[in-house]
Amino acid sequence: MSTINPMEQDMENRMPESLGMQAMRRLFRNRMALVSLAFVVFIGAICAIGPWFLSHDYETQNRALGPAGPSAMHWLGTDVLGRDQLARIFQGGQISLKVGLIATAVSIFIGVFYGLASGFWGGRMDSVMMRLVDVLYSLPFTLFVILMTVIFGQEMGLIYLAIGAVSWLTMARIVRNQVLALKAQPFVEAAFCLGQSHWRIMTRHLLPNLVGTVVVYATLTVPSVMLVEAFVSFLGLGVKAPMTSWGLLIKEGADAMEEYPWLLIFPSLFFSTTLFALNFLGDGLRDAFDPRASKEI
Amino acid sequence: MEMIPVLLVIATVVFFMVRFVPGGPFDQEKTLPETVKAQLNAHYGLDQPLAVQYVRYLGNLAKGDLGPSYRYPGWTVNELIAERAVVSAELGFWGLLVAVLVGIPAGAVAAIRPNSWLDHVPTSLATLGICIPTFVLGPLLILIFALKLGWFHALGWNEASDRILPALALGLVFAAPIARLTRGSMLEVRNQDYMRTAHAKGLSAVRIYFVHGLRNALLSVVTYIGPAAAGLISGSFVVESMFNIPGLGKLFVMSAFNREYTMICGTVLFYAAALLLLNLVVDVLLVLLNPRIKAE
């Protein structure tokens, strides 16, 4: 102990308090964000393990029963083909949340590398790359997702990829701005002067400093990609029956809403509350990681 | 001016993407004999090598010709798009009007006293609005106002009152981000020097706030019109299908179902051109509104 000089010791003590911990503290003070986090975890958990506890699965039809309102047997009623609505909502939730996570992962992968390259190499390459992002921004995403599902077929895996492939623009822009700011910092200049390779500077010095920003915008990307999936499924160009997603359930509910409004209301409720919680959580994370950014946006 | 290369790239990408689809436009009618199908393919030049088709397509494109429709024989894609685009443009206009008329006042009111109930109510509603997408809001509107209350028709685009529900379904979703933007930039504008000058001149608080303040705060809202238009187009796919409106969105979704090459390419190009043009207009508008932004 005595060999550590006071300054170093001071550094040790302060290290855990910096950035990550501060952000966590700020997040824990934000009660709405915590409630949202708990809600999202709860929804994810019941969609994942709920089906194990139900006596009905999502595709077994009970035509004798047909569409029935909520009852002790079927808590949220049954759909037009007599399938248990709760089981279908759980199954749809699994798909919707899976789309949210996988497509977000794809968009992080593309967006981070695109933004990193653009910001790091800068100059003419940067302006061309960012111009491309501007142009893509002005075109509707759903148009491309629809095009891709038309071309590659309505396969689940491809839907994940297609949605991820059109959702990376904001991520790329934010990462690029962050990289530009970081590049002007002394520690990056020092790394350049030490003759470190570009790859090493990117992976060792830039990427770790991007984690907070990426986490924040990834959280905000999840609800937006879920929205795109639901959009496309609603049009009948996304997830295919008998598989289902919340978007498709809302579509089926909308078709039958005059006689059986619960088929529209329950999936809409699940979908909207989950989106709401995810957005709140994302806003909370943004406030926690970067209190300044939340005022600007 | 970069519009033309951008459109060319989009045309090329969409042309080749669509051609790689397994199954042509005439595969859906299973009753069609092979010989008839071959004749149809020959008639539309679909039996030619891809490169020939591509060059021919670009040649026609340069003349502004998007090709014939396979689904509606005797019609060209141009005619169909022109006819449908008018309907969609009207729907988009009403939708945008709803978004602006709800969003801007809500945001302006919210910024009068930050963190009071006057702020919390519109801000919470705006967050809620972001999470109730068009395809949830639309059916709910139909259910309540058309089916239960019977005030409007559930479907169609014939009478003036048929515009109301689709415009609400399309526009309310965008009122939320507009309200947020207005609130944010109003809060910023409040502290500007010219606002203090206006106070010093003895102008009334209402006039300062809504004339001097709001006018400058609206710049960020104008910037948002570009992305909003892209969103409105996505929204129109759903709204037009839902309310059975004969617009371009419905045409696009149908042609995606039917794998109609020329129609898919045509609508995508039309959308892209319209949006690029709109963004250009927005850029010009921004310079006019704020002389400090000089065209670079």
Side-chain angles (χ1 to χ4, degrees):
Chain A
M1 273 299 268
S2 56
T3 52
I4 298 170
N5 74 38
M7 225 177 65
E8 235 171 279
Q9 203 175 13
D10 191 36
M11 288 277 280
E12 298 264 292
N13 288 341
R14 272 170 54 196
M15 280 300 264
E17 248 309 291
S18 69
L19 290 177
M21 290 298 266
Q22 270 179 16
M24 283 313 245
R25 260 200 334 190
R26 263 185 245 128
L27 184 66
F28 278 110
R29 244 182 285 146
N30 186 344
R31 203 168 300 154
M32 267 313 280
L34 280 185
V35 171
S36 302
L37 178 64
F39 183 77
V40 171
V41 171
F42 171 70
I43 289 284
I46 61 167
C47 287
I49 59 171
W52 298 67
F53 294 97
L54 291 176
S55 42
H56 319 277
D57 70 8
Y58 74 96
E59 47 183 1
T60 306
Q61 302 178 0
N62 183 350
R63 297 206 186 201
L65 182 63
S71 62
M73 186 71 173
H74 300 279
W75 291 354
L76 299 185
T78 49
D79 75 356
V80 183
L81 295 172
R83 293 176 290 194
D84 183 59
Q85 180 76 352
L86 188 60
R88 290 183 67 71
I89 287 178
F90 285 160
Q91 179 62 36
Q94 279 185 25
I95 296 292
S96 289
L97 291 170
K98 228 192 267 174
V99 169
L101 293 178
I102 296 176
T104 300
V106 174
S107 82
I108 290 175
F109 185 78
I110 305 177
V112 168
F113 280 97
Y114 195 93
L116 197 58
S118 180
F120 188 81
W121 283 302
R124 188 169 296 165
M125 185 161 147
D126 179 41
S127 57
V128 170
M129 284 175 87
M130 280 301 123
R131 196 69 209 126
L132 180 69
V133 169
D134 286 345
V135 170
L136 289 177
Y137 239 116
S138 62
L139 303 172
F141 303 157
T142 38
L143 203 72
F144 288 106
V145 178
I146 290 174
L147 265 182
M148 287 194 219
T149 58
V150 166
I151 290 153
F152 300 114
Q154 290 164 245
E155 296 292 327
M156 287 307 303
L158 288 165
I159 293 172
Y160 299 147
L161 282 180
I163 295 175
V166 296
S167 307
W168 53 271
L169 299 173
T170 310
M171 185 67 85
R173 236 184 216 178
I174 285 162
V175 165
R176 177 243 179 201
N177 290 341
Q178 196 82 358
V179 168
L180 283 184
L182 285 172
K183 248 175 71 180
Q185 302 253 331
F187 73 93
V188 179
E189 278 175 33
F192 271 112
C193 293
L194 286 169
Q196 294 196 343
S197 69
H198 284 182
W199 176 249
R200 201 177 153 77
I201 293 173
M202 279 195 224
T203 51
R204 294 299 296 252
H205 298 284
L206 296 178
L207 270 184
N209 283 296
L210 292 170
V211 170
T213 320
V214 171
V215 168
V216 171
Y217 285 92
T219 314
L220 288 168
T221 306
V222 174
S224 76
V225 295
M226 284 174 65
L227 207 56
V228 174
E229 180 277 322
F231 226 106
V232 178
S233 291
F234 185 92
L235 290 173
L237 292 164
V239 175
K240 247 192 197 163
M243 192 36 80
T244 193
S245 78
W246 282 344
L248 199 58
L249 283 174
I250 293 171
K251 157 83 182 149
E252 289 169 0
D255 288 342
M257 66 182 166
E258 197 169 356
E259 297 90 13
Y260 323 113
W262 66 88
L263 291 179
L264 171 66
I265 288 164
F266 289 127
S268 303
L269 213 58
F270 270 83
F271 185 68
S272 290
T273 47
T274 306
L275 282 194
F276 191 65
L278 279 168
N279 273 313
F280 241 104
L281 180 60
D283 284 345
L285 280 173
R286 186 170 59 194
D287 291 345
F289 273 96
D290 191 356
R292 267 171 309 141
S294 53
K295 282 180 202 122
E296 285 159 21
I297 294 169
Chain B
M1 275 314 97
E2 62 197 355
M3 268 181 72
I4 290 162
V6 169
L7 287 179
L8 190 67
V9 170
I10 293 174
T12 309
V13 170
V14 176
F15 179 88
F16 284 106
M17 274 169 80
V18 172
R19 288 308 192 273
F20 281 117
V21 182
F26 306 115
D27 286 352
Q28 304 242 315
E29 291 102 314
K30 292 198 176 75
T31 49
L32 230 51
E34 278 304 313
T35 47
V36 178
K37 212 186 276 180
Q39 264 179 350
L40 278 170
N41 280 334
H43 177 67
Y44 290 115
L46 291 172
D47 54 345
Q48 304 283 321
L50 212 54
V52 175
Q53 286 188 40
Y54 177 64
V55 170
R56 194 182 289 168
Y57 185 74
L58 284 192
N60 287 336
L61 209 57
K63 286 182 272 172
D65 179 11
L66 295 168
S69 163
Y70 305 138
R71 194 82 193 161
Y72 306 92
W75 288 78
T76 65
V77 172
N78 291 46
E79 287 164 348
L80 284 169
I81 288 181
E83 191 191 31
R84 306 296 188 95
V86 179
V87 175
S88 284
E90 194 196 333
L91 174 63
F93 171 76
W94 293 121
L96 200 60
L97 199 68
V98 166
V100 165
L101 287 185
V102 174
I104 292 178
V109 165
I112 291 177
R113 201 156 296 166
N115 292 320
S116 68
W117 65 269
L118 213 56
D119 179 19
H120 286 309
V121 172
T123 315
S124 317
L125 281 180
T127 315
L128 201 67
I130 289 176
C131 302
I132 301 187
T134 316
F135 53 86
V136 174
L137 186 63
L140 287 178
L141 287 174
I142 297 180
L143 186 63
I144 296 169
F145 294 105
L147 300 178
K148 294 280 178 249
L149 296 173
W151 292 354
F152 303 102
H153 299 293
L155 299 172
W157 188 253
N158 305 313
E159 294 160 36
S161 67
D162 289 345
R163 270 67 171 164
I164 295 174
L165 286 186
L168 285 176
L170 190 61
L172 277 182
V173 179
F174 293 94
I178 289 182
R180 272 191 170 188
L181 273 175
T182 311
R183 175 180 176 274
S185 47
M186 267 318 265
L187 288 179
E188 232 164 76
V189 165
R190 283 161 68 102
N191 301 323
Q192 299 281 330
D193 287 342
Y194 57 78
M195 293 293 275
R196 213 172 309 140
T197 312
H199 267 292
K201 283 198 300 190
L203 296 178
S204 77
V206 174
R207 190 177 157 79
I208 295 171
Y209 194 77
F210 286 103
V211 178
H212 294 239
L214 196 56
R215 197 191 145 162
N216 287 288
L218 286 185
L219 280 175
S220 62
V221 178
V222 174
T223 323
Y224 178 67
I225 288 180
L232 282 172
I233 288 176
S234 298
S236 77
F237 298 163
V238 164
V239 170
E240 287 174 11
S241 302
M242 203 153 42
F243 289 90
N244 202 15
I245 297 167
L248 195 56
K250 199 163 172 249
L251 187 70
F252 173 70
V253 173
M254 286 317 291
S255 61
F257 268 122
N258 297 331
R259 309 200 184 293
E260 243 199 294
Y261 300 155
T262 49
M263 191 65 89
I264 295 176
C265 287
T267 25
V268 171
L269 277 176
F270 180 82
Y271 277 133
L275 283 170
L276 291 174
L277 205 65
L278 187 76
N279 279 309
L280 199 70
V281 172
V282 167
D283 284 348
V284 172
L285 209 62
L286 277 179
V287 177
L288 288 180
L289 280 174
N290 186 359
R292 273 175 298 179
I293 308 171
K294 276 274 169 285
E296 281 157 24

